[in-house]
Amino acid sequence: MTVASVTTKLPAVRPVADSPAYYSPSGNECILFERAWARRLPLLLKGPTGCGKTRFVSYMAAKLGLPLSTVSCHDDLAAADLTGRYLLMGGNTVWVDGPLTRAVREGGICYLDEIVEARKDVAVVLHPLTDDRRILPLERTGEQLVAPASFMLVVSYNPGYQNLLKSLKPSTRQRFVAIEFDFLPKAEEIAVVSTESGLAEGQVAPLVELARRIRALKGHDLEEGASTRLLVYCASLVDAGVPMREAVLAALIEPLTDEPDVKTALVELADSLIR
């Protein structure tokens, strides 16, 4: 067998280049992102599930004209999944770049969503990229890649899901500039959901109010509150002709809990707000 080196894509990861249809800034996050990219600083986004972190990264990548590779982290994601590995192809042993290596070679944004879900060896790989060296050592190929000026590392996580076994070490957190995200103010969230779904703001308003009431239950009867993403799904169903009550059940209640008593309470709450 012969050994070759190529930069073909790993099948589990797709570059994302499309700009989201709508993004509503809630503060100075766009300016901070631009300044961090200009100064070659890594960025950490933290906030609840479905509050717009991933959409924000897609929006900024499109705004800056940068290619974007998004990796959804999980329990089995190892450093080799990001850097690459040797694979057998047609009788040859071929090196295949992972999404992180590809972004370092070519420039652009590599976005690691829910970084705390990945295995611990991932942080070790990221450290040399998050200080003034901006390098990616590839031990298996003997290469030491220097990140170009256009490369940016962005990671995110949901602090509400952290525990002793899944958290970012201080030594890792302090390598990033951080932006905290939360759900938009009521009027702005209504505008976003209306724009995304096509449903009139007057019909969206009670859905947003319901979501805000549900979020207040987080940590009590629910592990997580209703996300803006779920609101868009719900409003889209209504705009497509699904009765409001059925859309609420399918998009705002069933995804949040399997407990019969909790579902009953949420249905009663929804009935009190949506006529």
Side-chain angles (χ1 to χ4, degrees), residues 194-265:
S194 177
T195 301
E196 286 292 301
S197 66
L199 192 65
E201 290 193 5
Q203 291 178 279
V204 169
L207 295 176
V208 172
E209 178 59 29
L210 173 60
R212 293 169 69 86
R213 299 281 188 92
I214 292 174
R215 289 165 190 162
L217 300 175
K218 178 183 176 182
H220 299 283
D221 296 322
L222 295 173
E223 291 184 4
E224 192 62 68
S227 67
T228 302
R229 182 187 300 117
L230 286 181
L231 275 173
V232 172
Y233 291 170
C234 183
S236 297
L237 289 176
V238 175
D239 189 61
V242 177
M244 180 74 79
R245 195 174 191 275
E246 292 182 22
V248 168
L249 183 63
L252 288 181
I253 295 178
E254 289 290 356
L256 294 178
T257 182
D258 295 320
E259 296 295 329
D261 292 343
V262 177
K263 283 197 284 188
T264 298

Side-chain angles (χ1 to χ4, degrees), residues 88-263:
L88 284 175
M89 292 185 180
N92 295 327
T93 301
V94 179
W95 172 262
V96 179
D97 279 348
L100 179 62
T101 300
R102 193 164 57 250
V104 172
R105 288 190 195 276
E106 302 172 2
I109 299 172
C110 185
Y111 173 49
L112 307 182
D113 188 24
E114 295 297 343
I115 184 65
V116 296
E117 297 295 332
R119 287 167 50 173
K120 297 299 183 182
D121 62 338
V122 168
V124 176
V125 171
L126 298 182
H127 281 187
L129 281 170
T130 54
D131 56 29
D132 58 346
R133 293 173 293 173
R134 283 173 56 89
I135 60 173
L136 178 61
L138 298 176
E139 294 182 4
R140 294 187 179 183
T141 66
E143 298 176 90
Q144 182 168 282
L145 304 180
V146 178
S150 60
F151 170 78
M152 184 178 190
L153 177 64
V154 182
V155 303
S156 72
Y157 75 101
N158 179 354
Y161 285 157
Q162 283 200 103
N163 56 47
L164 293 177
L165 298 178
K166 290 186 177 181
S167 61
L168 284 181
K169 294 181 178 180
S171 59
T172 299
R173 289 169 60 105
Q174 293 189 34
R175 292 174 175 269
F176 291 85
V177 174
I179 302 177
E180 183 168 12
F181 280 71
D182 205 345
F183 297 109
L184 291 169
K186 184 176 181 179
E188 294 181 27
E189 191 167 27
I190 290 172
V192 168
V193 175
S194 177
T195 301
E196 286 292 301
S197 66
L199 192 65
E201 290 193 5
Q203 291 178 279
V204 169
L207 295 176
V208 172
E209 178 59 29
L210 173 60
R212 293 169 69 86
R213 299 281 188 92
I214 292 174
R215 289 165 190 162
L217 300 175
K218 178 183 176 182
H220 299 283
D221 296 322
L222 295 173
E223 291 184 4
E224 192 62 68
S227 67
T228 302
R229 182 187 300 117
L230 286 181
L231 275 173
V232 172
Y233 291 170
C234 183
S236 297
L237 289 176
V238 175
D239 189 61
V242 177
M244 180 74 79
R245 195 174 191 275
E246 292 182 22
V248 168
L249 183 63
L252 288 181
I253 295 178
E254 289 290 356
L256 294 178
T257 182
D258 295 320
E259 296 295 329
D261 292 343
V262 177
K263 283 197 284 188

